[in-house]
Amino acid sequence: MSIPSITSKLPQVGTTIFTVMSSLATELGAVNLGQGFPDFPMNEELIKLVDKAMRQGFNQYAHMHGLQSLREVLAGKIAFLYGTSVDPATQITITPGGTYAIYTAVTTVLQPGDEVIIFQPCYDSYIPNVEINGGIPVLINLKFPEYKIDWNEVKQRITPKTRMIMLNSPHNPTGAVLSEEDIQQLRSVVKDSNIIIISDEVYEHLIFDGLLHQSMLRYPDLMERSFICFSFGKTYHCTGWKLGYCISSPELMKEFRKVHQFNCFSCHSPSQVALSTFLKSKEAYLSLGAMMQEKRDYFIGLMRDTRFEMLKSSGSYFICAKYDRISDEKDSDFAIRITKEFGVAVIPVSVFYKNETDNKVIRFCFCKKKETLEAAAEKLRLI
Ligand SMILES: Cc1ncc(COP(=O)(O)O)c(C=O)c1O
């Protein structure tokens, strides 16, 4: 009997580099500064709150839009942080993670043939999300080495078919952040157009050096045309929870919920109960930026004695480094070799480009215990 065949919807997609590097790190016992997750424990109080919620019986389906009390607490947080009023009933939907929120937003909007502006390097889900929906990714490289948006190029690449612009600040993999000037440029690009913005803000709190997070939530004219995506997992050191949320205008959110309803429908209840209590304390999120900045600075300090040239990271929990003083190997070869020979797993930045642009740059994740960063730097000094 022959096995039925299917036509791949994503013929070019293979195993992601994160899986490859993490498996290599585990196999070789290497220090893993590759994949973006913390190696320190999450907040004990939040764990206790989930435990309590389960024991109190919050173990059945939550509301399709997300637990009401969590959406209310989020609306309060948004008013406090960004001075914007968001209606928890019509504008916030809790999702199983930020990636799902982005996918759902893309699926909600795109019709076959629609063009989507995506800045590279980019988080690996964006291009497949567009392609699986019959959209056409219009790829623009961020200007190396600052990884800034070239707004003149954006203006040139806009066509009558441009349906969407995807933004990510603070940015993975580079740690670049949007400035006020970027927001003004964005406003002028989308004004009087039918363009929808997807704003991936999963690292909203991880911003350094006194910079202000330029959330779409600060700008009512941008917010009304945006799907803004967040991740509790990334924010509260529990990436395995896969819980996040999306915010939009009531009109756009109505359509988003239609797609969500027949995919995930509703998210893990006890975590939502726990977060609705935990987030009442502003300390839970106001302390995150300083904590991560300290880690960034500690890691940069440790890397001073290596031959890597650290690039600027203003946010997220990633920092990139040039290695052209060490080798002219392809970045993917270099990353695999240093994992094997020196025992530190990193991510080559070319994997975040569709055409594998290779600037001889690798990405480190510094959201790790001090001991982990020290162990990595000790090995990297030998290169
Ligand atoms: C830019 C960016 N967006 C979204 C996500 C995923 O968030 P979640 O785990 O909540 O799906 C990540 C995780 O690495 C990310 O770096």
Side-chain angles (χ1 to χ4, degrees), residues 97-99 123 126 168 172 200 202-203 231 234 242:
T99 314
Y123 180 57
Y126 298 170
N168 171 213
N172 175 14
D200 178 347
V202 301
Y203 300 107
S231 167
K234 285 283 172 188
K242 291 300 293 187

Side-chain angles (χ1 to χ4, degrees), residues 21-302:
M21 295 309 287
S22 281
S23 312
L24 201 58
T26 313
E27 187 190 315
L28 302 170
V31 184
N32 192 355
L33 299 193
Q35 210 168 357
F37 59 83
D39 69 346
F40 47 85
M42 64 173 290
N43 187 292
E44 188 61 33
E45 188 198 334
L46 191 46
I47 294 176
K48 286 194 186 132
L49 286 168
V50 179
D51 180 70
K52 188 170 156 200
M54 285 184 167
R55 288 177 199 287
Q56 285 178 336
F58 292 100
N59 298 305
Q60 309 310 327
Y61 292 130
H63 192 283
M64 196 260 275
H65 304 160
L67 194 80
Q68 167 98 6
S69 56
L70 179 56
R71 285 181 283 129
E72 279 167 7
V73 96
L74 285 172
K77 180 184 163 202
I78 290 157
F80 167 70
L81 285 178
Y82 303 116
T84 303
S85 164
V86 164
D87 178 3
T90 56
Q91 292 187 265
I92 307 179
T93 301
I94 308 296
T95 62
T99 314
Y100 173 101
I102 295 162
Y103 181 79
T104 305
V106 172
T107 304
T108 301
V109 175
L110 287 194
Q111 299 291 338
D114 284 346
E115 292 179 3
V116 180
I117 293 192
I118 299 178
F119 300 101
Q120 297 187 115
C122 63
Y123 180 57
D124 60 346
S125 74
Y126 298 170
I127 297 174
N129 281 187
V130 169
E131 287 177 339
I132 207 165
N133 281 293
I136 299 165
V138 174
L139 304 172
I140 298 181
N141 279 9
L142 294 169
K143 280 197 278 184
F144 181 74
E146 301 86 10
Y147 296 106
K148 288 244 154 252
I149 294 177
D150 180 344
W151 288 103
N152 285 329
E153 187 174 353
V154 176
K155 285 172 194 155
Q156 284 161 15
R157 305 283 297 276
I158 299 269
T159 76
K161 287 192 170 168
T162 308
R163 193 69 186 92
M164 192 183 270
I165 297 182
M166 295 182 81
L167 294 168
N168 171 213
S169 180
H171 185 252
N172 175 14
T174 68
V177 299
L178 289 177
S179 65
E180 214 177 323
E181 165 65 14
D182 288 314
I183 297 293
Q184 296 319 331
Q185 293 279 3
L186 176 65
R187 280 183 149 153
S188 77
V189 165
V190 298
K191 193 165 172 279
D192 301 326
S193 79
N194 203 23
I195 295 173
I196 300 285
I197 297 166
I198 297 213
S199 187
D200 178 347
E201 303 187 13
V202 301
Y203 300 107
E204 107 192 92
H205 299 298
L206 309 184
I207 184 154
F208 315 137
D209 309 319
L211 292 167
L212 202 65
H213 171 50
Q214 293 294 343
S215 175
M216 295 306 122
L217 291 169
R218 285 185 196 282
Y219 304 98
D221 56 323
L222 294 176
M223 194 186 134
E224 67 184 16
R225 58 169 76 236
S226 296
F227 289 99
I228 313 164
C229 305
F230 299 90
S231 167
F232 291 114
K234 285 283 172 188
T235 311
Y236 300 108
H237 317 310
C238 47
T239 57
W241 280 21
K242 291 300 293 187
L243 200 64
Y245 55 104
C246 184
I247 299 180
S248 193
S249 63
E251 297 74 20
L252 296 180
M253 187 48 80
K254 196 170 156 203
E255 292 303 314
F256 178 101
R257 286 175 175 172
K258 288 184 192 171
V259 179
H260 169 65
Q261 175 165 14
F262 299 114
N263 191 5
C264 161
F265 178 67
S266 88
C267 302
H268 194 252
S269 302
S271 319
Q272 294 189 61
V273 175
L275 282 162
S276 66
T277 303
F278 189 69
L279 288 181
K280 283 188 185 134
S281 153
K282 296 186 173 70
E283 186 55 23
Y285 50 88
L286 291 182
S287 57
L288 293 166
M291 184 266 237
M292 211 55 79
Q293 178 171 333
E294 199 185 314
K295 288 201 177 289
R296 178 202 62 174
D297 293 343
Y298 189 64
F299 185 56
I300 291 175
L302 291 170

Side-chain angles (χ1 to χ4, degrees), residues 15-25 27-28 30-31 308 323 327 329-351 361-363 383:
T15 310
T16 75
I17 186 80
F18 308 102
T19 313
V20 172
M21 295 309 287
S22 281
S23 312
L24 201 58
E27 187 190 315
L28 302 170
V31 184
F308 289 92
Y323 63 85
S327 162
E329 277 162 285
K330 243 171 77 175
D331 66 356
S332 45
D333 292 343
F334 180 74
I336 290 172
R337 184 171 68 81
I338 68 167
T339 309
K340 286 185 176 159
E341 287 180 18
F342 295 92
V344 182
V346 296
I347 302 291
V349 170
S350 66
V351 302
V361 175
I362 52 171
R363 186 196 79 175
I383 303 179

